Amino acid sequence: MATSPREKRDFLRITDLDRSELLELVERAAEWKLLGKGGPRPLERRTVGLVFEKASTRTRVSFEVAAHQLGAGSIMLSPRDTQLGRGEPIRDTARVLSRYLDCLVVRTYGHEKIEEMARYAGVPVVNALTDASHPCQVLADLLTVTERFGSDALTKPGLRVAWVGDGNNMANSWLEACVLLGFELHLACPAGYDPDPALLARAAGRAKVFRSPAEAVAGAHVVNTDVWASMGQEQEAEERRRRFEGFIVDGPLMARARPNAVVLHCLPAHRGEEITDEVLEGPQSAVFDEAENRLHAQKALLELLLAGR
């Protein structure tokens, strides 16, 4: 039976959690990683709908596998498979799907679309990526940080995270994590490509924007980057290559970070643009651990929203 509207809870941004919930979710994700495929199945007889307007590898597969390992079924719904692709109002689709499914995992463009889906859906709605936010990825990233720097890395003073590149949905979600957890966040973005100013204001005193990647990365524990042109920005790719020249995570830039610093990238990567092959494949890279951790973070999130843990 679908969750009733009075019981449902959505996850559209990192700040839909409070500090203690976020830390507990990361801890639970680590537990799921240890349990592997043989863990409990708290979501038996549940079904998760994946409503994806954007292409996906890691997000789709990790959610499908997470649902399966938790005992739930999953259904993939692309625009060509549903009436959304033929103009049915989001509110109508949300209300109908809520009568069949127990959770909607939505990957779309404008953030207002997922907000409307959540407003009318009677079951939990999860943001699997919008142009404004990518909270599920940051859950996996935070798990990766604790694996590399200890289970208390997110709570003890001194953690410094650097972001190099576009002030995009990933940068916004890192800002929200900074708001909740209080670590130091340095963002290196070209002029005109800063993250959400409202989020920057909320993280005042902890987050700072630089125009120099070298300044932003100095002394960082974590160096994070993403493609210069995201899905839907392909027509801007050439202009962005010019504007982002020098915003590349390479060996000389990593030499500015701490000797034990790790590199994160949500993938797919454009090797030779925002990150070099040398760094992506090097000893400081945690990129493929980070990708695997999408699965474990998704399991913890679905468990929280559907089983109440």
Side-chain angles (χ1 to χ4, degrees):
M1 180 181 292
T3 308
S4 77
R6 287 177 295 178
E7 297 171 339
K8 81 129 174 175
R9 182 176 184 182
D10 303 314
F11 181 66
L12 307 187
R13 292 183 175 274
I14 288 288
T15 46
D16 286 337
L17 305 169
D18 62 29
R19 174 185 169 87
S20 62
E21 288 173 327
L22 178 56
L23 292 170
E24 288 170 7
L25 199 57
V26 172
E27 182 179 359
R28 183 58 174 161
E31 292 173 357
W32 276 114
K33 188 168 187 175
L34 289 174
L35 288 168
K37 298 179 182 180
R41 295 167 66 84
L43 302 188
E44 293 279 5
R45 302 179 67 84
R46 304 293 185 96
T47 309
V48 176
L50 308 176
V51 184
F52 278 31
E53 283 193 300
K54 285 186 171 185
S56 172
T57 299
R58 281 149 293 276
T59 301
R60 174 180 175 176
V61 174
S62 59
F63 265 111
E64 288 200 22
V65 175
H68 173 74
Q69 291 185 3
L70 292 174
S74 63
I75 299 175
M76 177 65 187
L77 300 164
S78 71
R80 66 179 178 274
D81 300 324
T82 68
Q83 297 299 331
L84 274 174
R86 300 179 65 235
E88 181 175 51
I90 292 172
R91 66 184 68 180
D92 294 355
T93 296
R95 287 180 287 195
V96 170
L97 291 180
S98 297
R99 306 230 174 174
Y100 306 141
L101 302 168
D102 297 282
C103 180
L104 297 176
V105 178
V106 182
R107 184 176 176 93
T108 187
Y109 291 90
H111 195 77
E112 69 281 356
K113 289 186 176 182
I114 201 169
E115 290 178 328
E116 183 176 359
M117 185 76 77
R119 190 158 57 248
Y120 287 94
V123 297
V125 174
V126 173
N127 181 358
L129 179 144
T130 66
D131 290 346
S133 183
H134 197 1
C136 292
Q137 178 64 59
V138 171
L139 290 179
D141 295 355
L142 294 174
L143 172 58
T144 310
V145 171
T146 64
E147 289 177 334
R148 293 302 179 104
F149 296 105
S151 59
D152 62 347
L154 302 177
T155 56
K156 66 183 180 183
L159 179 67
R160 180 178 294 179
V161 177
W163 176 268
V164 180
D166 190 19
N168 60 11
N169 49 9
M170 281 297 304
N172 288 339
S173 289
W174 271 105
L175 272 167
E176 291 193 320
C178 171
V179 168
L180 291 183
L181 299 176
F183 55 78
E184 194 174 354
L185 179 62
H186 290 182
L187 303 110
C189 307
Y193 295 92
D194 290 351
D196 185 336
L199 292 176
L200 275 172
R202 287 183 67 186
R206 290 291 186 177
K208 184 178 180 181
V209 174
F210 295 80
R211 300 302 175 211
S212 163
E215 288 184 65
V217 167
H221 297 84
V222 181
V223 179
N224 209 332
T225 190
D226 193 6
V227 295
W228 293 341
S230 300
M231 284 180 285
Q233 298 173 333
E234 290 81 4
Q235 73 281 1
E236 304 173 27
E238 195 54 47
E239 172 65 16
R240 283 172 172 263
R241 286 191 192 96
R242 289 193 292 271
R243 298 292 296 274
F244 283 79
E245 185 176 358
F247 284 77
I248 182 171
V249 177
D250 56 13
L253 186 66
M254 286 304 301
R256 303 274 300 179
R258 291 174 180 263
N260 64 338
V262 297
V263 175
L264 300 181
H265 191 306
C266 63
L267 299 176
H270 293 169
R271 299 169 190 239
E273 286 191 4
E274 76 277 359
I275 191 169
T276 62
D277 191 79
E278 169 199 13
V279 170
L280 188 64
E281 298 289 355
Q284 291 178 283
S285 174
V287 169
F288 295 100
D289 290 338
E290 173 191 10
E292 178 193 338
N293 285 340
R294 293 295 305 277
L295 170 63
H296 312 301
Q298 253 84 280
K299 289 171 78 171
L301 178 63
L302 290 174
E303 180 187 37
L304 172 67
L305 297 179
L306 295 178
R309 165 130 188 182

